Amino acid sequence: MYTEIEQQSLDIDWFFTGNNEIAFVASAGGKLPETIAELGEKNGILSSYFRNLPEISDVIINPELKSILPDVNETYLSDFINMAKKGIYAFDKTVLNNFLDSNYHLVVSPKNPLKLKDLSPNVIEVILKAQFNNELKDMKQINVFKFNE
């Protein structure tokens, strides 16, 4: 389990599903949804698994990103693009330095999304603990405290 101090002090990579597709979120020191905080060490397994997948997709940078973060540059985008090339939607925390703010924005989308059915069974078992009941392709922003509602 991730403690509240770990959540506040670390940029934790975590993952969720939305109607059979996969999303990556960079926590940027934000409070995690309870289901993710409880995963603790298992979340690291997901991160390792997804980071080691091959690239399968071209990417689309969120056209609204410049209005959210005016100073976007290649350094900022690189990790999000890397995840999207693996077929994973990539989100980032919108308001930094506010632990309790639960809003995130889409940074990069894959043109060819990875599907839940393409994952190994042990990864599916873990990632199903964090689900949104929405199509990821339609999500430009998320409130992470609306998981499993």
Side-chain angles (χ1 to χ4, degrees):
M1 174 154 187
Y2 290 110
T3 67
E4 197 163 286
I5 299 223
E6 288 173 318
Q7 292 176 51
Q8 288 179 29
S9 59
L10 299 173
D11 186 8
I12 298 169
D13 295 347
W14 57 277
F15 301 84
F16 69 90
T17 65
N19 286 350
N20 296 315
E21 296 174 338
I22 315 300
F24 153 78
V25 182
S27 76
K31 184 166 179 57
L32 299 174
E34 196 172 310
T35 54
I36 303 301
E38 290 172 358
L39 285 176
E41 192 175 297
K42 287 183 180 177
N43 185 61
I45 293 167
L46 289 180
S47 185
S48 178
Y49 177 85
F50 288 118
R51 288 191 176 281
N52 286 304
L53 288 177
E55 292 181 359
I56 62 165
S57 180
D58 289 330
V59 302
I60 303 166
I61 295 172
N62 180 354
E64 299 165 20
L65 192 58
K66 284 277 191 191
S67 66
I68 299 166
L69 299 171
D71 297 329
V72 170
N73 60 42
E74 285 185 36
T75 303
Y76 169 79
L77 289 171
S78 65
D79 197 38
F80 298 103
I81 289 172
N82 181 46
M83 295 307 283
K85 284 181 176 181
K86 296 169 188 294
I88 301 169
Y89 291 82
F91 291 84
D92 194 19
K93 189 162 176 28
T94 303
V95 179
L96 301 178
N97 302 317
N98 184 343
F99 177 65
L100 295 176
D101 185 273
S102 59
N103 296 297
Y104 289 73
H105 60 272
L106 177 69
V107 178
V108 185
S109 299
K111 285 186 178 179
N112 180 32
L114 181 67
K115 302 293 184 187
L116 198 57
K117 68 178 179 51
D118 298 327
L119 307 179
S120 69
N122 61 326
V123 169
I124 292 172
E125 180 183 334
V126 175
I127 200 167
L128 284 177
K129 295 181 189 303
Q131 296 183 59
F132 255 106
N133 295 320
N134 299 57
E135 295 282 339
L136 290 176
K137 67 180 172 66
D138 299 330
M139 296 175 71
K140 298 290 186 215
Q141 58 191 14
I142 55 173
N143 180 322
V144 297
F145 296 123
K146 296 194 176 190
F147 275 89
N148 302 318
E149 288 186 344

